[in-house]
Amino acid sequence: MKMIGVIGGMSRVSSAEYYKLMNEMVEERPGGLHSAKILMYSIEFAEFTDIPRRFRKVQSSFDWKPLRNTMIDSAERLKRRGGAYFIIRCSNTLHSSADDIEKKVKIPVLRIAGATGEKIRERALKIVGLPGTEYTMEEDFYRKRLEEKFGIKVIILVCTEIPLLVKQKDVEIPLFDMMTIHAEAAVKYALGDE
């Protein structure tokens, strides 16, 4: 099994859920006790957003460069010091810097939009609506990937914590749990089942 490098911390809840999901998926393998090879670097996201809540209208107006540099540094540490074979991030919003990480650190970043796009394509859907953070909805890094790679038109975008609150049994329309889909793709990639 390849080492999964995880950048977490934007939300401790989604970071913990990713860890749990990947280990549960690996544990299902037959023949003995199994757990995922995971190395997590948790970013203290509050250091980048520590402004009074009443002034936090639009995340996109905030300077993302220091956070991008921290994510690149995190990926570097996971690769060079931890032996990570690839990187995943426990947040849709943080995927906006995937290209920067791949270019500067020379390590694959398994994108949540790609894993989700595959599942949507399996269901033969062409238009999807997905709730998410204001920054993720305003920027095109997620929407563009789904549209260009999978031909899927996106109305609104995503949030990893929503699947913790809303389950398929709660709604009548198809629901795509991006966090579980991404965790499953990471486990398959780590096991060479891609």
Side-chain angles (χ1 to χ4, degrees):
M1 176 183 291
K2 299 172 182 82
M3 178 69 72
I4 303 169
V6 178
I7 299 175
M10 185 168 179
S11 161
R12 69 168 174 80
V13 176
S14 64
S15 300
E17 188 68 12
Y18 264 90
Y19 182 83
K20 176 181 155 279
L21 287 169
M22 289 186 288
N23 274 295
E24 286 174 351
M25 291 170 189
V26 170
E27 189 178 65
E28 293 173 0
R29 295 171 60 200
L33 299 173
H34 299 282
S35 59
K37 289 176 78 172
I38 299 171
L39 187 60
M40 183 180 289
Y41 190 99
S42 185
I43 294 173
E44 169 52 308
F45 192 68
E47 291 176 0
F48 302 95
T49 59
D50 195 18
I51 55 178
R53 201 174 273 285
R54 67 177 188 257
F55 296 117
R56 272 192 235 165
K57 170 112 175 67
V58 183
Q59 284 178 316
S60 60
S61 65
F62 141 115
D63 182 7
W64 286 88
K65 187 175 181 181
L67 180 56
R68 281 197 174 106
N69 290 340
T70 297
M71 286 190 290
I72 290 167
D73 178 66
S74 302
E76 184 73 37
R77 291 170 190 255
L78 290 166
K79 177 184 176 185
R80 303 245 189 269
R81 297 182 190 161
Y85 185 76
F86 66 100
I87 300 293
I88 66 168
R89 274 146 327 141
C90 304
S91 163
N92 284 293
T93 302
L94 298 183
H95 276 77
S96 62
S97 64
D99 292 339
D100 295 333
I101 289 173
E102 287 181 336
K103 181 180 175 184
K104 294 183 179 182
V105 183
K106 309 284 190 256
I107 188 168
V109 176
L110 189 62
R111 290 166 173 80
I112 195 168
T116 302
E118 292 289 345
K119 291 291 184 183
I120 294 169
R121 185 165 51 190
E122 286 174 14
R123 298 284 299 267
L125 298 174
K126 295 292 182 195
I127 300 175
V128 295
L130 303 145
T133 66
E134 189 172 357
Y135 174 77
T136 305
M137 290 189 292
E138 288 177 350
E139 298 298 316
D140 71 351
F141 65 92
Y142 202 107
R143 180 185 67 248
K144 188 175 180 181
R145 189 160 187 88
L146 287 176
E147 289 175 355
E148 289 179 358
K149 187 168 183 181
F150 301 99
I152 298 167
K153 182 169 175 43
V154 178
I155 300 163
I156 327 175
L157 293 175
V158 295
C159 179
T160 48
E161 286 80 6
I162 288 176
L164 299 172
L165 303 171
V166 180
K167 305 292 184 196
Q168 184 62 65
K169 65 180 176 56
D170 300 322
V171 296
E172 293 180 12
I173 59 173
L175 184 68
F176 294 90
D177 176 346
M178 284 89 41
M179 186 174 3
T180 300
I181 291 167
H182 196 214
E184 180 182 37
V187 167
K188 286 181 178 178
Y189 193 68
L191 294 172
D193 297 340
E194 51 197 270

